[in-house]
């Protein structure tokens, strides 16, 4: 009744409460570029275009809902969300479905869910909550505990095997720990240790994962398998030149030489058709989005919201950097989509939930600390 | 205090914002690296990559290899390929699948069965490029579709090779079948690192020799480099690396013998494994009922699948390797051998058989009321005295029995070249310990040893284990691994690789002990429980009947076949080798719920031996021996 009495103007204003203009504009621009590129990449598969529009609608709705939830409320979900995610991950390890050789999906009633995806948000939420609770008495042991909270789900995800998600989740948690104030000396020590651990870690990798790393060093060693992806995507990027071949004109994309060209390798299609200038626009958009996120983090009132906002922002960065690095051949091929642009509903939903959380934190920046 | 806290907060905020600054700088550096990389590729290396992209007009098209043939030992073809047209849909390129299928139905006949199969395939295979909606199109249908092709983007006619099994359900459990590569298969191929060789291949062996020799049969995928125009259409073939056909596989099975044996089974359920004792070659391998492998070739429709899967006869279950049965009295020759080898019995000592054996206040009954009177070792086999073996088992003890039977391969996989072999149960105190959870169940009771002696109790073996055991006995203790493949022909270089007989071990049994048991088994077929089935045979043979209980009988209950539901009746077993002097064949037959071993399993064995040794083909299916003719004992 109350809503009906509102004038359209006021209704719109009410609806827009909590929506941050710059963030919305940047995300929308990226989404627009994504649709344009998807149209080109999935020219012969019109159903994908429609499906992506549905995904976007769901994404924006999720963003709006998250933007309405105050950080204090969000904090209460931290432990349950993390516990549920961990439980589901254990469930996947025991009874998961195998798709494309990896055990990632879990049947829940009629639908299948991918619990590792949910960890991308649940992990920073949990760790931010943990540090917030111990804010005044932060000690070294707290960093050890948070490290364990991070390591357990990451190992479960890496075992599936899903290296891409494992990297993103550990990055998300790692960012929280970093911003919580892990001492620089420990960070340096971990860096050295990590370098040394690469050798034993190599033995733990799956054959196909090792092949991907080796392929990066010499793509021509495997021209029909994993190397093919890298060879074809670098040709696409390189042949794009400064101005690109023009929309729908990319031969690499249109002749189907680029594999996975609507999902993980969509950047190759974009880069071929819009060239270096297009890439610069994309980099600038991402930089602005990340800048806005870091600003929100810097101005956030509570330890929890600061940590959460900073971590979420840097997840966006990780997505973008890993994906573009992989397509342009400086990082190994791991399954990480290009944020807001790659086709796929799950990743999009996660990203928009993240944007929504940032918006909510921004809106509540002036609230007195509780 | 409050001031200090506030200061602390400010400090914290300062450090946090410092780190935000560091993160921002790191982001900028990372993006700068990306920018440098892009500039390197798109400006400095642009000419190189532009040329590459322009040259990139060559599409690599895989050519699926022809699958190898499967032949019987005489070169009769059991699995072959033929070419046929299929109508295929590329699901990702079709807007409205239902509508497209409905419209296709106006041009070529599409039955509900075809639709269901298509749906099933669509559900099973992710990211499938192309799936068949109709297979085996007639020339007229091909022409009609070709005329209407423009109406159907994403639908194509393809010439494909199909597998065909000319003998239908005969030997279906040996040959197996092929089916579409599903997610599980794909995963295995990736694990084996051969997924690239399966590009262009839609089918893979799922069971039988088709499954276990998949890598031999498959061949090597070829590649064609096709130049494509700016629109992506093929202009001409630049180079062609032809596919290398898969290897032909020649089995040790004789399809004629197999057919005759399967006919002898008629509609009855059961299994038969016939082995050449001195090589381990499997001559006939039967699991009844079978199935028609042709049903699987272009993707089985859900209805036929449900019928096969839900039938109480379990036609997809390979009984010969995966069925486990108590051996019943076919166990006795091995027990006799164990008694001689361990010195617990000698051929001359006799016992008196009152028709039961008493132990711990419980009577173990003989199948012949009143017993067989005075029984020595020879007679114990010929008339199949239970009492004799109750006593023997009690004297030997479970450890000695178990250790001896293990040497014969019972309760272990034989290693036959098929997937899905069961282990069975060789009873022992250790086995019981492992098998049960509760301490009172884990204990071995001396009373349990007694029925082990007559092949009952926990004893449970696969037909192929029993066939291997009887073949080992026939070969005087030389145990060979059963094998189904005689040789593999490599069509690329004309080479033929023989699969050599594989001696597992020589049991080192005393020749006179083997001689004695073989002689007693010959007595079974001359004057004992197998005599009627082997009346006037033109060759010597040594056999042993067996009856395996399906349900337990109470202490004083009498087994009355007429009162018992068909599926609860005893299984009928028979093991035999022939000729006795120089065995050419040893076999194990089981007829599920067939009653006395002498009645159902022995006549089938006789037919197999008559054909193998004399070339005699039965003129009409043998009638089972009338009930009242069956001799006492089993």
């Amino acid at each position: 009744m109350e809503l009906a009495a509102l004038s359209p103007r006021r209704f719109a204003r009410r609806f827009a409460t909590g929506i941050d203009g710059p963030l919305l504009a940047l995300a929308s621009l990226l989404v627009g570029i994504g649709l344009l590129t998807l149209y080109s990449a999935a020219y012969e598969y019109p159903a994908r275009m429609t499906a992506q529009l549905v995904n976007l609608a769901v994404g924006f709705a999720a963003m709006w809902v998250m933007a309405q939830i105050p950080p204090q409320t969000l904090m209460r979900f931290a432990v349950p969300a993390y516990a549920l995610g961990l439980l589901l991950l254990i469930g996947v390890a025991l009874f998961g479905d195998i798709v494309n050789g990896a055990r990632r999906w879990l049947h829940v009633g009629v639908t299948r869910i991918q619990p590792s995806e949910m960890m991308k948000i649940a992990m920073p939420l949990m760790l931010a909550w943990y540090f917030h609770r111990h804010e005044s008495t932060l000690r070294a042991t707290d960093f050890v505990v948070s490290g364990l909270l991070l390591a357990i789900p990451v190992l479960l995800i890496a075992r599936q095997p899903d290296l891409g998600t494992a990297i993103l989740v550990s990055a998300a948690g790692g960012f929280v720990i970093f911003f919580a104030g892990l001492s620089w000396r420990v960070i340096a020590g971990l860096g050295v240790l990590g370098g040394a651990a690469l050798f034993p870690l190599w033995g733990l990798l799956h054959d196909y994962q090792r092949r991907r790393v080796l392929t990066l060093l010499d793509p021509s060693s495997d021209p029909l398998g994993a190397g093919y992806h890298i060879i074809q995507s670098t040709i696409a990027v390189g042949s794009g030149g400064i101005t690109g071949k023009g929309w729908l004109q990319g031969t690499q994309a249109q002749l189907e030489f680029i594999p996975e060209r609507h999902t993980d390798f969509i950047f190759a299609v974009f880069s071929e058709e819009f060239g270096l200038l297009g890439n610069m626009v994309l980099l600038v958009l991402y930089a602005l989005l990340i800048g806005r996120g870091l600003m929100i983090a810097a101005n956030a009132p509570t330890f929890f919201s600061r940590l959460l906002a900073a971590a979420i922002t840097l997840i966006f960065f990780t997505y973008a950097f890993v994906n573009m690095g992989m397509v342009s051949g400086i990082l190994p091929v791991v399954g990480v989509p290009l944020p807001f642009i790659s086709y796929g509903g799950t990743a999009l939903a996660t990203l928009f939930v993240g944007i929504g959380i940032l918006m909510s934190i921004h809106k509540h920046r002036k609230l007195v600390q509780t | 205090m409050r001031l200090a806290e506030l200061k602390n907060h400010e400090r914290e905020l300062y450090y946090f914002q410092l780190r935000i600054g560091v993160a921002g700088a790191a982001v900028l550096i990372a993006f700068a690296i990306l920018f440098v990389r892009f500039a390197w590729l798109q400006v400095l290396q642009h000419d190189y990559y532009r040329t590459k992209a322009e040259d990139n007009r060559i599409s690599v098209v895989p050519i699926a290899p022809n699958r190898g043939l499967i032949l019987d030992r005489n070169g009769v073809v059991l699995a072959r390929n033929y070419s046929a047209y299929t109508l295929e849909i590329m699901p990702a390129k079709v807007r409205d699948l239902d509508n497209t299928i409905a419209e296709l139905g106006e041009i070529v006949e599409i039955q509900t069965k075809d639709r269901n199969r298509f749906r099933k395939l669509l559900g099973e295979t992710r990211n499938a490029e192309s799936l068949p909606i109709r297979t085996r199109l007639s020339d007229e249908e091909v022409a009609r579709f070709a005329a209407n092709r423009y109406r159907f983007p994403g639908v194509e006619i393809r010439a494909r090779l199909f597998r065909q099994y000319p003998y239908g359900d005969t030997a279906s459990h040996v040959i197996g079948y092929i089916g579409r590569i599903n997610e599980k298969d794909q995963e295995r191929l990736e694990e084996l690192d051969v997924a690239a060789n399966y590009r262009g291949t839609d089918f893979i062996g799922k069971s039988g020799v088709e499954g276990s020799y998949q890598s031999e049969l498959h061949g090597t995928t070829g590649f064609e480099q096709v130049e494509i125009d700016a629109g992506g259409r093929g202009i001409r073939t630049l180079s062609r690396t032809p596919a290398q056909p898969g290897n032909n596989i020649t089995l040790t099975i004789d399809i004629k013998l197999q057919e005759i044996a399967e006919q002898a089974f008629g509609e009855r359920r059961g299994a038969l494994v016939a082995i050449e004792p001195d090589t381990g070659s499997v001559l006939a391998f039967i699991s009844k009922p079978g199935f028609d492998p042709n049903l699987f070739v272009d993707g089985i429709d859900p209805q036929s699948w449900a019928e096969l899967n839900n039938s109480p006869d379990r036609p997809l279950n390979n009984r010969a390797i995966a069925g486990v049965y108590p051996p019943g009295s076919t166990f006795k020759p091995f027990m006799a051998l164990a008694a001689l080898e361990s010195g617990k019995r000698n051929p001359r000592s006799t016992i008196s058989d009152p028709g039961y054996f008493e132990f711990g206040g419980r009577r173990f009954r003989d199948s012949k009321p009143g017993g067989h009177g005075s029984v020595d070792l020879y007679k114990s086999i010929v008339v199949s005295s239970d009492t004799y073996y109750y006593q023997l088992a009690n004297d030997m003890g479970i450890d000695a029995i178990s250790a001896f039977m293990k040497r014969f391969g019972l309760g272990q996989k034989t290693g036959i070249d098929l997937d899905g072999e069961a282990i069975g149960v060789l009873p022992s105190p250790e086995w019981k310990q492992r098998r049960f959870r509760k301490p009172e169940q884990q204990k071995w009771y001396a009373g349990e040893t007694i029925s082990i002696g007559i092949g009952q109790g926990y004893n449970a073996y696969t037909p192929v284990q029993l066939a291997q055991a009887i073949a080992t006995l026939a070969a005087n203790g030389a145990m060979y691994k059963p094998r189904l493949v005689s040789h593999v022909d490599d069509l690329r270089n004309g080479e033929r690789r023989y699969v050599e007989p594989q001696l597992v071990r020589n049991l080192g049994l005393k020749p006179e002990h083997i001689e004695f048991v073989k002689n007693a088994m010959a007595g079974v077929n001359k004057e004992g429980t197998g005599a009627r089935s082997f009346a006037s045979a033109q060759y010597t043979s040594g056999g042993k009947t067996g009856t395996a209980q399906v349900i337990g009988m109470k202490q004083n209950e009498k087994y009355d076949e007429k009162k018992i539901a068909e599926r609860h009746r005893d299984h009928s077993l028979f093991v035999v080798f022939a000729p006795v002097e120089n065995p050419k064949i040893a076999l194990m037959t089981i007829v599920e719920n067939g009653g006395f071993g002498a009645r159902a399993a022995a006549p089938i064995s006789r037919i197999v031996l008559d054909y193998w040794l004399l070339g005699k083909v039965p003129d009409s299916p043998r009638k089972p021996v009338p009930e009242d003719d069956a001799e006492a004992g089993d």
Side-chain angles (χ1 to χ4, degrees):
Chain A
M1 279 316 282
E2 198 199 336
L3 269 179
L6 294 171
S7 72
R9 244 185 105 96
R10 287 187 56 198
F11 177 77
R13 205 178 312 147
R14 169 76 56 96
F15 195 75
T17 23
I19 300 299
D20 178 52
L23 276 183
L24 183 67
L26 288 166
S28 301
L29 278 172
L30 286 167
V31 161
I33 290 176
L35 287 177
L36 218 62
T37 317
L38 183 65
Y39 184 82
S40 178
Y43 198 61
E44 282 187 74
Y45 306 88
R48 288 199 179 132
M49 205 59 194
T50 350
Q52 182 73 345
L53 286 171
V54 175
N55 293 338
L56 280 172
V58 173
F60 276 112
M63 176 193 79
W64 188 82
V65 170
M66 293 312 290
Q68 309 309 313
I69 302 175
Q72 286 89 333
T73 315
L74 207 56
M75 209 163 11
R76 273 189 257 143
F77 287 108
V79 178
Y82 177 85
L84 181 70
L86 192 61
L87 221 70
L88 289 174
L89 278 178
I90 294 169
V92 169
L94 297 178
F95 327 101
D97 264 15
I98 295 174
V99 173
N100 292 335
R103 194 183 284 275
R104 292 175 195 172
W105 298 85
L106 192 66
H107 269 277
V108 179
V110 286
T111 176
R112 300 195 293 187
I113 56 168
Q114 204 178 339
S116 49
E117 189 66 29
M118 135 179 206
M119 265 296 167
K120 288 179 190 164
I121 297 292
M123 174 62 72
L125 204 59
M126 174 71 187
L127 292 185
W129 170 86
Y130 180 84
F131 284 117
H132 181 84
R133 278 203 52 171
H134 299 86
E135 187 185 357
S136 46
T137 59
L138 218 49
R139 273 178 306 191
T141 44
D142 291 318
F143 287 100
V144 175
V145 171
S146 61
L148 284 176
L149 288 173
L150 173 62
I152 294 163
V154 166
L155 284 178
L156 282 170
I157 296 168
R159 254 199 69 223
Q160 289 179 354
D162 185 350
L163 209 55
T165 309
I167 288 172
L168 287 172
V169 172
S170 54
F175 294 141
V176 179
I177 296 175
F178 167 73
F179 285 114
L182 185 64
S183 98
W184 286 108
R185 250 181 295 170
V186 177
I187 292 172
L190 284 177
V192 172
L193 217 70
L198 275 183
F199 295 96
L201 207 69
W202 182 250
L204 292 176
L205 287 182
H206 279 252
D207 268 351
Y208 83 93
Q209 292 167 337
R210 266 188 239 179
R211 258 202 312 280
R212 281 183 184 177
V213 177
L214 288 180
T215 304
L216 180 71
L217 303 174
D218 180 17
S220 57
S221 67
D222 184 17
L224 289 169
Y228 183 81
H229 285 44
I230 298 178
I231 293 176
Q232 295 301 339
S233 68
T234 29
I235 291 176
V237 174
S239 66
I242 295 174
T243 53
K245 297 176 187 170
W247 188 47
L248 302 181
Q249 303 300 314
T251 53
Q252 286 289 101
Q254 303 308 326
L255 298 183
E256 310 194 358
F257 283 112
I258 303 173
E260 310 272 341
R261 61 188 188 287
H262 59 289
T263 54
D264 289 355
F265 280 79
I266 197 166
F267 178 65
V269 177
F270 173 82
S271 199
E272 181 184 24
E273 298 189 347
F274 299 102
L276 186 62
L277 292 176
N279 289 354
M280 280 164 69
V281 170
L282 207 57
L283 283 177
V284 167
L285 286 177
Y286 280 126
L288 288 174
L289 185 81
I290 292 160
R292 179 74 187 160
L294 291 179
M295 222 181 81
I296 290 173
N299 294 323
T302 66
F303 201 39
F304 170 77
S305 46
R306 277 204 290 274
L307 293 180
L308 189 59
I312 286 174
T313 305
L314 286 196
I315 299 173
F316 294 160
F317 160 72
T318 312
Y319 267 105
F321 179 69
V322 170
N323 181 277
M324 290 191 279
M326 146 187 123
V327 172
S328 61
I330 53 171
L331 291 176
V333 177
V334 286
V336 172
L338 188 62
F340 303 105
I341 292 183
S342 283
Y343 171 83
T346 325
L348 215 52
T350 310
L351 289 162
F352 273 110
V353 164
I355 291 277
I357 292 175
L358 285 180
M359 288 177 171
S360 155
I361 290 172
H362 183 60
K363 180 183 158 195
H364 296 89
R365 66 189 177 279
K366 289 191 185 115
L367 288 188
V368 186
Q369 194 180 337
T370 44
Chain B
M1 185 62 199
R2 273 192 68 86
L3 193 74
E5 208 172 79
L6 202 66
K7 264 227 167 106
N8 201 16
H9 269 297
E10 261 169 26
R11 245 167 62 102
E12 218 169 61
L13 191 63
Y14 168 75
Y15 279 123
F16 177 77
Q17 286 173 346
L18 192 73
R19 288 197 177 208
I20 289 279
V22 170
V27 168
L28 286 181
I29 291 171
F31 277 9
I33 292 172
L34 282 180
F35 179 77
V36 169
R37 173 69 178 171
F38 295 155
W40 166 259
L41 291 175
Q42 297 185 307
V43 181
L44 296 170
Q45 298 277 322
H46 173 59
D47 286 341
Y48 169 75
Y49 283 114
R50 196 189 55 207
T51 328
K52 273 238 159 175
E54 273 162 17
D55 291 348
N56 215 349
R57 292 281 160 82
I58 299 157
S59 174
V60 179
V61 184
I63 308 167
N66 285 359
R67 196 174 172 82
L69 306 178
I70 300 176
L71 310 138
D72 93 332
R73 66 187 295 129
N74 299 314
V76 181
V77 176
L78 305 180
R80 63 176 171 220
N81 310 307
Y82 69 96
S83 177
Y85 288 108
T86 62
L87 188 61
E88 302 194 357
I89 298 182
M90 282 155 269
K93 296 197 178 181
V94 173
R95 258 171 209 276
D96 184 348
L97 271 180
D98 290 321
N99 198 22
T100 303
I101 294 173
E103 280 179 34
L104 281 172
E106 290 161 16
I107 296 171
V108 298
E109 192 192 344
I110 295 174
Q111 297 177 349
T112 322
K113 201 173 81 173
D114 297 317
R115 279 171 223 263
N116 291 345
R117 186 189 57 207
F118 181 79
R119 288 280 163 212
K120 185 165 172 267
L121 290 174
L122 196 61
E124 282 171 357
T125 31
R126 276 176 89 82
N127 306 326
E129 275 181 20
S130 173
L131 293 171
I133 177 76
R134 249 300 300 279
T135 52
R136 282 174 264 196
L137 273 78
S138 68
D139 289 347
E140 197 193 331
E141 284 177 313
V142 171
R144 259 206 310 259
F145 176 79
N148 285 286
R149 202 186 143 185
Y150 66 93
R151 286 171 53 199
F152 298 101
V155 183
E156 262 181 46
I157 295 258
R158 295 237 166 107
R160 297 248 188 207
L161 279 179
F162 281 93
R163 199 68 160 167
Q164 193 199 16
Y165 304 98
Y167 281 84
D169 65 359
T170 303
S172 50
H173 283 285
V174 186
I175 302 166
Y177 59 88
I178 62 165
R180 287 200 157 252
I181 296 179
N182 60 25
E183 285 175 26
K184 233 186 201 153
D185 300 322
Q186 190 62 39
E187 193 187 339
R188 215 182 46 236
L189 293 174
E190 269 159 30
E191 261 167 37
L192 295 170
D193 210 2
V194 293
N197 193 30
Y198 280 80
R199 280 183 60 191
T201 301
D202 295 324
F203 299 102
I204 193 166
K206 298 274 186 178
S207 79
V209 169
E210 290 273 35
S212 56
Y213 284 86
Q214 168 62 27
S215 55
E216 292 279 4
L217 289 163
H218 179 252
T220 310
T221 299
F223 288 96
E224 204 172 43
Q225 293 197 307
V226 182
E227 186 182 344
I228 52 177
D229 65 12
R233 280 175 293 270
I235 305 169
R236 65 196 172 102
T237 302
L238 297 175
S239 76
R240 200 182 145 88
T241 313
Q244 310 278 343
N247 299 336
N248 288 352
I249 287 190
T250 301
L251 303 181
T252 55
I253 298 284
D254 184 307
I255 194 65
K256 190 75 193 155
L257 178 72
Q258 180 90 18
E259 268 188 313
I260 286 168
E262 290 198 21
Q263 274 159 16
F265 267 87
E267 294 301 306
R268 290 173 291 184
R269 298 178 305 279
L272 181 151
V273 179
I275 293 178
E276 198 172 60
D278 52 7
T279 60
S281 299
V282 177
L283 305 171
F285 181 100
I286 290 158
S287 172
K288 289 283 273 181
F291 55 87
D292 183 359
N294 291 303
L295 284 175
F296 290 88
V297 165
D298 30 314
I300 190 165
D301 62 281
Q303 197 196 337
S304 309
W305 174 249
E307 273 170 27
L308 283 175
N309 232 358
N310 302 336
S311 162
D313 289 342
R314 313 233 285 133
L316 293 177
N317 181 22
N318 191 341
R319 290 168 160 79
I321 53 167
V324 292
Y325 305 93
S329 298
T330 62
F331 202 56
K332 287 172 183 168
F334 302 102
M335 282 295 293
L337 203 50
L340 290 169
E341 286 279 312
S342 64
K344 285 280 177 196
R345 290 287 184 277
N346 70 57
R348 290 166 304 282
S349 61
T350 61
I351 65 144
S352 112
D353 171 7
Y356 59 86
F357 173 71
E358 220 163 46
F359 181 84
R362 199 188 143 187
R363 275 190 179 188
F364 291 83
R365 285 171 301 132
D366 199 296
S367 58
K368 185 182 179 187
H372 297 279
S374 168
V375 179
D376 62 7
L377 191 54
Y378 176 85
K379 191 178 168 190
S380 76
I381 292 177
V382 173
V383 302
S384 199
S385 159
D386 289 341
T387 309
Y388 190 96
Y389 288 95
Y390 289 142
Q391 255 185 39
L392 174 60
N394 192 37
D395 288 353
M396 284 188 71
I398 186 63
D399 290 327
I401 298 173
S402 179
F404 185 82
M405 297 305 164
K406 194 174 177 189
R407 292 165 67 196
F408 268 94
L410 295 178
Q412 298 150 62
K413 289 188 182 184
T414 62
I416 189 169
D417 31 5
L418 288 179
D419 298 325
E421 202 183 346
I423 295 173
V425 175
L426 174 64
S428 69
E430 295 76 43
W431 166 79
K432 234 190 144 189
Q433 186 88 32
R434 281 196 312 272
R435 169 69 181 73
F436 293 102
R437 284 270 175 79
K438 294 185 190 148
E440 68 267 25
Q441 287 177 319
Q442 287 181 326
K443 189 180 180 307
W444 185 272
Y445 297 98
E448 292 175 324
T449 308
I450 293 168
S451 41
I452 297 293
I454 62 159
Q456 301 288 354
Y458 294 118
N459 278 309
Y461 308 118
T462 61
V464 71
Q465 281 170 8
L466 287 167
Q468 185 190 35
I470 197 68
T472 305
L473 182 72
N476 300 326
M479 185 159 117
Y480 285 90
K481 187 158 113 177
R483 58 181 193 138
L484 287 163
V485 171
S486 137
H487 53 264
V488 176
D489 284 304
D490 191 328
L491 297 183
R492 286 168 288 190
N493 50 22
E495 257 175 39
R496 170 169 289 190
R497 267 181 289 130
Y498 282 91
V499 179
E500 295 301 325
Q502 213 178 318
L503 183 69
V504 180
R505 58 179 161 267
N506 203 313
L507 269 50
L509 304 164
K510 277 230 172 80
E512 61 265 34
H513 294 159
I514 293 182
E515 209 49 48
F516 180 87
V517 172
K518 280 187 170 178
N519 186 39
M521 288 178 76
V524 170
N525 284 2
K526 271 193 302 228
E527 50 173 331
T529 51
R532 189 169 296 267
S533 298
F534 281 83
S536 66
Q538 288 155 282
Y539 48 85
T540 54
S541 62
K544 183 69 196 82
T545 53
T547 309
Q549 283 172 14
V550 174
I551 49 168
M553 287 283 122
K554 292 202 191 87
Q555 183 81 61
N556 289 310
E557 201 178 345
K558 198 180 175 317
Y559 178 83
D560 183 349
E561 193 182 76
K562 291 186 196 99
K563 284 190 193 152
I564 293 174
E566 201 259 336
R567 276 173 205 275
H568 288 159
R569 284 181 202 157
D570 293 345
H571 295 324
S572 167
L573 289 85
F574 195 69
V575 293
V576 64
F577 59 89
V580 175
E581 315 74 51
N582 177 23
K584 294 269 173 253
I585 179 169
L587 64 103
M588 186 279 170
T589 310
I590 177 165
V591 178
E592 284 185 9
N593 316 115
F596 287 132
R599 190 178 339 136
I604 293 173
S605 310
R606 169 80 193 263
I607 292 170
V608 170
L609 293 188
D610 277 358
Y611 175 75
W612 194 245
L613 299 172
L614 308 171
K616 207 171 116 189
V617 178
D619 14 70
S620 63
R622 235 165 206 258
K623 288 189 193 84
V625 183
E627 205 166 311
D628 44 7
D629 270 17
E631 286 148 79
D634 56 7

